[in-house]
Amino acid sequence: MLRFSIFSKIVLIVCFAIILPLVVSNYFIASTYQSFIDEYISGIKEIQTQFELFQKNIILQVFIVALLIFVIVAVVFFVLSRIIVRPLKKLVEATREVIKGNLNVKVSIRTRDELGVLSNSFNQMVEYLKKAFREADEERNKTMGVILNLVDGILVFDKKNCLKIINPQAEKILKVANHRDVIDKNLNELKKLDPFTSLIDLIGEKEIKQVFKKEICFDKTSVKGEKSLIFEVSTVPLLYKKDFFGNIVILHDITREKTVEKLKSEFISLSAHQLFTPSVAIKWSLDAILKEKMGKLGDKQKEFLNKTYLSSEKMVALIDDLLNITKIEGGRFLGKLTQESMEDLVRKSIQSQEKLIKEKNIELNLFVPKEPLPKIEANREDIILALKNLINNAIKYNSVGGKVTIELSRDKMEERVQIKDTGSGIPELQRSQVFSMFFRGDNAMKMGVSGTGLGLYLAKSIIEAHNGKIGFESEENKGSTFWFTLPIIANGK
């Protein structure tokens, strides 16, 4: 079947509208003029009479041509309306329905021109949109199903910090009776609702801050039967191709873990306290026997008792470390703070290791600035304990005849202590565990050196309790460099 474009149809209609009146007009003019010419030549009538008749014919022709043009224009308008305007109106009405969300609309234009192609393309687009929306709804329902069934509390905020989604667990934690009461509220509005207040104070009132595993405690009435609830709060920004469009706030219940940790700490504390007194008594008794206060000993007896005494020393040291750990975990570690000289604390710690230094023939060097270092505010015994642990490790895990270099320095805000050794170093794969409780490197255990794996954990806890920082660099078989910094007293000199 022959197919005409809209442009071709319009051209044909316009040509028809122009040519038809011209043809009719020329016909009337030709017929009128022919009669006039014939009569003029023949001389049958006078020119005046013929001129009057000519005028009448001209007027009649103009009227007929005008009427014909009007009729043709009306027909052209009607034809154009059917060919172009009506189909376009259908498309406009269908587009408005799609904008309203009605994806069941269809446009029926049964022509073989561009409008017919456009209507088919429109219908295909609507079907594609319907499929895309259906898939998007399915994905959204899956996502919402995951969020709603998570055991953690989830709150989703948009980029204007308005709450858009809250899952049932979060509703339970925050005692929200109806989620509609909090949806679309901003941070300031939510802060007025208890217990949102403490949560908003943590994550930010104006803008949501980046928070990672910060602990928060909610009222014991949050969940029936619970004495208290402790949660880890983390915020995660929502990004898509570097475009920010909101934040997720995650509330992870760690009440059980904290209860277990508390029970563990209480058990360790009780056990350590119960073991400490008899262990010290055994150590003192062995010391007295070795000093022959109870009578003379044979060589074999001394050798056997020396081994027993060393074992009792290790046990007392372990119990002492366990007691210190229970203090840290109970928040009771940092005692009275006084103004102290870091150089004095370092020298005191070195003195406590003189016996071990001589046994391993260690070359120990201490470097301090020419100008006196300013005072720090610290608990003397705690800092000495941290220094002892670091220096002891540098000596203990060093080779015989090795070197240990201790260097003190400062800047405007803090003092730095650096302890460098030429020992065994730390394996690369185990460096992330160095400050973990009970950690000992594989190479250290192969050396047969005794230890509890608590020294670095205690040192880190002490330094951080003093608002300091601690770190290290290490290379296996070449040595390690441990350092820590402590803030200088304001206006201290």
Side-chain angles (χ1 to χ4, degrees):
M1 185 176 180
L2 186 62
R3 176 176 174 179
F4 292 97
S5 68
I6 294 174
F7 178 76
S8 302
K9 292 178 180 179
I10 292 174
V11 169
L12 289 173
I13 292 169
V14 170
C15 290
F16 176 77
I18 293 172
I19 293 171
L20 184 62
L22 290 176
V23 171
V24 174
S25 176
N26 287 334
Y27 171 77
F28 281 118
I29 291 170
S31 62
T32 301
Y33 283 145
Q34 185 64 43
S35 175
F36 174 74
I37 292 168
D38 292 343
E39 289 177 1
Y40 178 77
I41 294 171
S42 62
I44 298 174
K45 294 182 180 180
E46 296 180 353
I47 294 173
Q48 183 67 30
T49 304
Q50 294 299 322
F51 186 74
E52 290 176 358
L53 179 62
F54 175 73
Q55 285 181 327
K56 290 179 182 179
N57 286 336
I58 290 295
I59 294 170
L60 179 62
Q61 290 176 38
V62 170
F63 175 76
I64 293 172
V65 170
L67 180 63
L68 183 61
I69 290 173
F70 176 79
V71 172
I72 292 173
V73 168
V75 171
V76 169
F77 179 80
F78 177 75
V79 172
L80 288 175
S81 174
R82 290 188 63 86
I83 293 175
I84 299 175
V85 177
R86 285 187 182 179
L88 288 177
K89 189 175 180 181
K90 287 182 179 179
L91 284 169
V92 170
E93 290 174 352
T95 303
R96 287 173 178 168
E97 287 296 315
V98 172
I99 292 172
K100 291 177 183 178
N102 180 13
L103 297 179
N104 295 316
V105 65
K106 285 189 176 181
V107 178
S108 177
I109 299 176
R110 298 179 180 179
T111 61
R112 297 179 63 84
D113 54 22
E114 287 87 345
L115 287 174
V117 174
L118 180 61
S119 69
N120 290 333
S121 299
F122 179 86
N123 291 335
Q124 290 175 6
M125 180 194 70
V126 172
E127 287 297 321
Y128 176 79
L129 285 174
K130 190 188 295 184
K131 181 181 177 182
F133 275 106
R134 184 168 59 249
E135 291 176 353
D137 285 340
E138 289 175 358
E139 291 299 320
R140 182 178 181 277
N141 291 334
K142 289 178 183 177
T143 304
M144 288 299 297
V146 171
I147 292 174
L148 294 176
N149 290 286
L150 283 173
V151 294
D152 290 339
I154 301 291
L155 298 95
V156 181
F157 291 84
D158 63 13
K159 61 183 178 181
K160 295 181 179 178
N161 294 316
C162 292
L163 182 62
K164 290 299 179 183
I165 300 174
I166 179 170
N167 72 343
Q169 186 63 19
E171 291 178 18
K172 188 177 180 182
I173 295 166
L174 298 167
K175 297 187 288 188
V176 176
N178 190 332
H179 70 277
R180 294 185 182 88
D181 297 336
V182 295
I183 293 297
D184 291 327
K185 290 187 181 293
N186 59 33
L187 295 172
N188 287 324
E189 293 171 328
L190 290 172
K191 188 176 180 180
K192 299 174 184 177
L193 306 174
D194 186 53
F196 274 92
T197 304
S198 56
L199 177 62
I200 302 302
D201 286 338
L202 179 62
I203 66 174
E205 185 175 346
K206 294 182 179 179
E207 290 185 358
I208 295 178
K209 301 180 293 187
Q210 293 303 302
V211 175
F212 182 69
K213 291 187 176 182
K214 295 290 185 181
E215 292 183 11
I216 187 172
C217 186
F218 288 107
D219 185 27
K220 63 182 179 181
T221 59
S222 298
V223 176
K224 186 177 179 181
E226 290 284 354
K227 293 182 179 180
S228 63
L229 282 176
I230 304 172
F231 289 86
E232 278 183 348
V233 180
S234 298
T235 60
V236 180
L238 297 173
L239 300 171
Y240 180 73
K241 293 182 179 179
K242 297 183 179 180
D243 291 330
F244 171 77
F245 57 94
N247 283 283
I248 294 179
V249 178
I250 304 169
L251 304 174
H252 177 60
D253 190 352
I254 57 170
T255 307
R256 180 182 177 84
E257 290 89 335
K258 285 294 179 181
T259 302
V260 171
E261 283 182 14
K262 185 180 178 182
L263 292 172
K264 181 190 72 176
S265 296
E266 290 175 352
F267 173 76
I268 292 173
S269 178
L270 179 62
S271 301
H273 278 98
Q274 293 296 321
L275 290 170
F276 186 75
T277 302
S279 297
V280 172
I282 292 170
K283 178 183 173 183
W284 288 347
S285 300
L286 289 169
D287 183 60
I289 295 170
L290 284 168
K291 290 178 180 179
E292 297 185 339
K293 292 181 179 180
M294 305 297 176
K296 290 186 178 182
L297 300 172
D299 292 338
K300 289 186 178 180
Q301 291 173 324
K302 283 184 178 181
E303 182 183 353
F304 178 78
L305 289 173
N306 268 320
K307 290 179 181 179
T308 308
Y309 180 78
L310 290 174
S311 297
S312 70
E313 271 193 329
K314 292 176 184 177
M315 184 168 63
V316 170
L318 174 60
I319 293 169
D320 195 42
D321 285 343
L322 290 173
L323 288 172
N324 287 328
I325 287 172
T326 59
K327 289 178 183 178
I328 291 171
E329 294 181 343
R332 298 176 284 106
F333 196 76
L334 196 59
K336 183 180 178 181
L337 300 180
T338 55
Q339 292 188 13
E340 299 290 342
S341 165
M342 180 62 78
E343 183 179 348
D344 292 343
L345 297 177
V346 170
R347 292 188 184 279
K348 180 73 173 176
S349 303
I350 293 173
Q351 287 175 7
S352 67
Q353 305 297 317
E354 283 182 350
K355 182 180 177 182
L356 186 58
I357 292 171
K358 290 178 181 178
E359 287 178 359
K360 298 202 69 171
N361 192 27
I362 297 295
E363 180 186 336
L364 192 147
N365 298 301
L366 174 63
F367 296 97
V368 297
K370 293 181 179 179
E371 295 183 3
L373 291 170
K375 296 290 182 71
I376 59 167
E377 192 172 49
N379 181 280
R380 182 179 179 84
E381 297 303 321
D382 292 347
I383 297 298
I384 288 176
L385 176 60
L387 284 165
K388 280 181 180 179
N389 287 333
L390 293 171
I391 296 171
N392 181 267
N393 279 355
I395 299 168
K396 190 165 55 175
Y397 297 107
N398 212 328
S399 57
V400 176
K403 293 182 179 180
V404 174
T405 304
I406 303 174
E407 184 177 355
L408 278 62
S409 59
R410 62 158 295 186
D411 59 20
K412 292 182 179 180
M413 303 299 295
E414 58 191 15
E415 290 186 19
R416 177 185 174 99
V417 178
Q418 179 176 289
I419 303 167
K420 183 177 181 180
D421 64 61
T422 57
S424 59
I426 301 164
E428 185 176 356
L429 296 177
Q430 295 183 309
R431 288 172 193 168
S432 61
Q433 307 171 52
V434 163
F435 293 109
S436 302
M437 195 185 301
F438 300 114
F439 168 77
R440 298 193 70 208
D442 292 339
N443 56 348
M445 289 189 285
K446 289 176 183 177
M447 291 172 66
V449 178
S450 62
T452 62
L454 297 173
L456 291 177
Y457 173 79
L458 286 170
K460 183 175 186 291
S461 301
I462 292 169
I463 298 303
E464 291 182 347
H466 285 79
N467 297 316
K469 297 176 182 177
I470 187 169
F472 73 97
E473 296 173 357
S474 184
E475 188 174 350
E476 194 171 1
N477 299 321
K478 288 190 176 181
S480 303
T481 300
F482 280 83
W483 57 266
F484 68 86
T485 60
L486 290 175
I488 296 171
I489 298 174
N491 299 320
K493 293 184 179 179

